[in-house]
Amino acid sequence: MLNPDIYNNRRQRLIKLMGKGVAILKGAPEQIRTNDTEYPYRQDSDFYYLTGYTEPGAACIIDPNNQEHPFTLFVLPQDPKKEVWTGWRLSFAETVEKFGASQAQDIAEFEAAALTAMKTSSRVYTNLNHDKAHQYKMLDQVGQIRKEVQRAGGGPEGLESIGAITHGMRLIKDKVEIELMQKAADISASAHCKAMQTCSPGMYEYQLQAVLESHFVHEGGAGPAYTSIVGAGDNATVLHYVKNRDKIVDGDLILIDAAAEYEMYASDITRTFPANGKFSEAQRAIYEVVLKAQKAVIAAAKPGVSFQDLHDLDLRLLVEGMLEIGLLKGSADEVIKNETYQDYFMHKTGHWLGLDVHDMGNYMADGDSITLKPGMVFTVEPGIYVNSKSKAPARFRGIGIRIEDDIFITKNGNKNLTAAVPKEISEIESLMKSK
Ligand code: GLY
Ligand code: MN
Ligand code: MN
């Protein structure tokens, strides 16, 4: 957890933007993996952003209309029999102290307290994501209050996503957030270097996955920020290939899209390299097209440029490159207009990055693409995917290439947080030789 003042400042900004609204948030529910064992617990990102609280079983009310208790945390109460299994829980007094809450209460009190807080609010903001039971409860409670408006005189006009406020806030990272993201990026970058140095034909994809993920944890990360992709040969052309079970064959290209989460912040890196340490002619031809587009987009990323401008630049360079090497036919304008490039490039150039790997925040505002501002962090990840069933020239089939870096927009340009992993062909080949 960061300094409690950081979360308090965020809550004060939230309160300013909510007016007389109230934020009533539930922590992420635990998720069962098999029978009675759960997936490792990961707090809801908006809940964490506003509270710093990472334990399961929590909720909170941030209520500017309550002078005495503007911030109440609801937590699992102390219970020695349960704590023997899952670890010590803070007392309510300790919770208040540690998280800067005005009070802490038993989670069993949450729903009644939520109903009371709603009654004096103009609007209810809550997390509308994966906890359906919580969403229905909130909707039901707002509905109950609306039925009593004639007698009570007022009540919340509606239920809205907390994201309507927090997702805009989360788009701009502060100095501490960038430090954590840089650390996540550094851990991931060194893991990619290790994987390149470890790789040799005959290994299995999961063995490279093990190298990466063991390094994430060894360096203090929480583990992977998303399910690791290690695809060799034709598997590299499957965008979300996560089985990672196949044998790596001499001549394959390997696409690794894997990165660590550190102190709740994600990184996101993709590199593609030859299993035997040397790019073939066909692999090199496609790789150079992707690399040229990726470097040009990064060079263009600065305040005032729109997200769509970056995608348009990326697309044009990929299309021109694919025409040059004979992967596509026609003119660049035709290919872009008819979208025939979609056979080989079918995703966007990047996405916001932060607490979530696909971080919250809009890409459009009032019909226009969002313009980059200092503090934004996003990925730049062009790719070309020619699967083995494609009608492309035979020498290109079975080649999938993506190159992905994490870009932080500064006052005058940007900083590549993941520049520590090589991506030039000569750099990759020499790193792979230095086993
Ligand atoms: N690793 C997920 C993505 O690149 O979007
Ligand atoms: Mn990505
Ligand atoms: Mn990725």
Side-chain angles (χ1 to χ4, degrees):
M1 169 190 189
L2 305 172
N3 184 321
D5 290 347
I6 291 177
Y7 305 99
N8 185 38
N9 288 340
R10 292 173 183 164
R11 290 192 296 273
Q12 297 315 314
R13 284 170 60 205
L14 172 84
I15 282 172
K16 277 211 183 89
L17 294 166
M18 285 199 305
K20 297 240 169 261
V22 61
I24 302 179
L25 307 180
K26 193 92 185 273
E30 291 192 90
Q31 302 286 351
I32 295 292
R33 181 168 183 278
T34 67
N35 186 13
D36 55 355
T37 59
E38 294 99 14
Y39 283 102
Y41 186 71
R42 169 58 159 76
Q43 185 57 279
D44 172 90
S45 294
D46 284 319
F47 192 88
Y48 170 76
Y49 186 75
L50 293 169
T51 65
Y53 198 84
T54 54
E55 296 297 316
C60 78
I61 299 180
I62 302 167
D63 186 359
N65 309 308
N66 185 335
Q67 304 295 330
E68 198 184 352
H69 295 303
F71 174 39
T72 303
L73 257 179
F74 299 85
V75 296
L76 293 172
Q78 289 184 311
D79 179 340
K81 282 209 174 98
K82 292 200 171 133
E83 287 169 63
V84 166
W85 292 89
T86 53
W88 305 124
R89 294 175 185 171
L90 296 181
S91 69
F92 296 142
E94 288 165 334
T95 302
V96 165
E97 173 73 21
K98 180 167 176 187
F99 295 93
S102 18
Q103 63 176 342
Q105 293 187 346
D106 187 330
I107 186 68
E109 314 282 339
F110 170 60
E111 284 178 6
L115 192 65
T116 305
M118 283 177 187
K119 286 181 180 166
T120 51
S121 76
S122 59
R123 201 161 198 82
V124 176
Y125 292 88
T126 193
N127 23 17
L128 296 179
N129 37 24
H130 30 253
D131 188 345
K132 291 272 179 281
H134 170 65
Q135 289 168 31
Y136 292 141
K137 189 76 210 173
M138 294 292 99
L139 202 54
D140 184 54
Q141 291 194 334
V142 170
Q144 266 184 54
I145 298 172
R146 293 301 313 164
K147 286 193 191 128
E148 293 165 14
V149 161
Q150 193 189 354
R151 265 162 292 149
E157 290 295 345
L159 181 68
E160 191 158 352
S161 166
I162 190 69
I165 299 180
T166 52
H167 296 169
M169 291 167 68
R170 282 172 51 188
L171 260 185
I172 308 292
K173 274 76 178 175
D174 63 24
K175 191 162 163 280
V176 178
E177 291 182 289
I178 294 298
E179 281 166 14
L180 297 175
M181 292 188 75
Q182 181 66 70
K183 175 78 179 169
D186 288 344
I187 294 172
S188 308
S190 48
H192 273 262
C193 291
K194 255 187 146 175
M196 284 184 200
Q197 288 176 300
T198 309
C199 180
S200 61
M203 287 179 73
Y204 285 83
E205 293 165 340
Y206 55 79
Q207 292 176 322
L208 290 184
Q209 179 185 0
V211 170
L212 291 149
E213 295 184 3
S214 121
H215 189 78
F216 298 162
V217 177
H218 185 271
E219 296 306 302
Y226 52 91
T227 311
S228 302
I229 295 171
V230 181
D234 204 33
N235 294 336
T237 67
V238 178
L239 298 182
H240 286 168
Y241 175 78
V242 290
K243 287 193 196 122
N244 306 346
R245 301 308 298 171
D246 284 354
K247 197 170 190 170
I248 296 167
V249 175
D250 197 351
D252 279 351
L253 265 193
I254 300 165
L255 184 154
I256 295 184
D257 184 347
E261 178 177 297
Y262 180 77
E263 293 292 326
M264 304 295 280
Y265 284 85
S267 50
D268 188 3
I269 302 181
T270 308
R271 286 292 184 270
T272 311
F273 57 90
N276 61 15
K278 191 107 189 97
F279 283 83
S280 72
E281 281 310 308
Q283 291 166 349
R284 180 182 283 264
I286 301 185
Y287 191 92
E288 278 171 351
V289 171
V290 178
L291 182 62
K292 181 176 174 191
Q294 207 247 7
K295 282 163 56 176
V297 170
I298 294 175
K302 59 175 194 246
V305 172
S306 83
F307 213 75
Q308 186 64 38
D309 290 341
L310 295 184
H311 182 68
D312 292 344
L313 173 64
D314 185 28
L315 179 59
R316 180 147 294 267
L317 289 171
L318 288 177
V319 167
E320 285 175 1
M322 287 192 270
L323 288 167
E324 241 166 69
I325 64 171
L327 191 49
L328 286 174
K329 289 199 170 45
S331 74
D333 288 339
E334 267 167 26
V335 167
I336 290 173
K337 184 158 171 266
N338 302 334
E339 299 189 354
T340 43
Y341 62 83
Q342 292 260 3
D343 287 347
Y344 308 121
F345 174 54
M346 54 297 271
H347 56 73
K348 285 294 210 177
T349 295
H351 52 82
W352 306 126
L353 182 71
L355 288 168
D356 297 320
V357 65
H358 295 159
D359 210 32
M360 296 301 198
N362 288 330
Y363 294 87
M364 304 280 289
D366 301 326
D368 291 321
S369 175
I370 294 255
T371 298
L372 299 178
K373 293 191 182 63
M376 289 178 165
V377 182
F378 57 94
T379 65
V380 175
E381 50 179 303
I384 295 179
Y385 313 91
V386 190
N387 66 51
S388 58
K389 294 184 185 164
S390 128
K391 300 212 169 18
R395 69 184 193 285
F396 291 135
R397 287 184 215 149
I399 296 179
I401 293 171
R402 180 163 63 252
I403 307 171
E404 176 174 31
D405 282 308
D406 301 346
I407 304 302
F408 159 47
I409 295 294
T410 57
K411 215 163 121 228
N412 300 312
N414 71 66
K415 180 173 182 216
N416 182 350
L417 301 178
T418 48
V421 209
K423 62 185 174 189
E424 297 293 336
I425 288 182
S426 58
E427 291 171 348
I428 292 175
E429 291 183 345
S430 76
L431 179 68
M432 292 184 73
K433 266 196 219 132
S434 66
K435 292 188 181 180

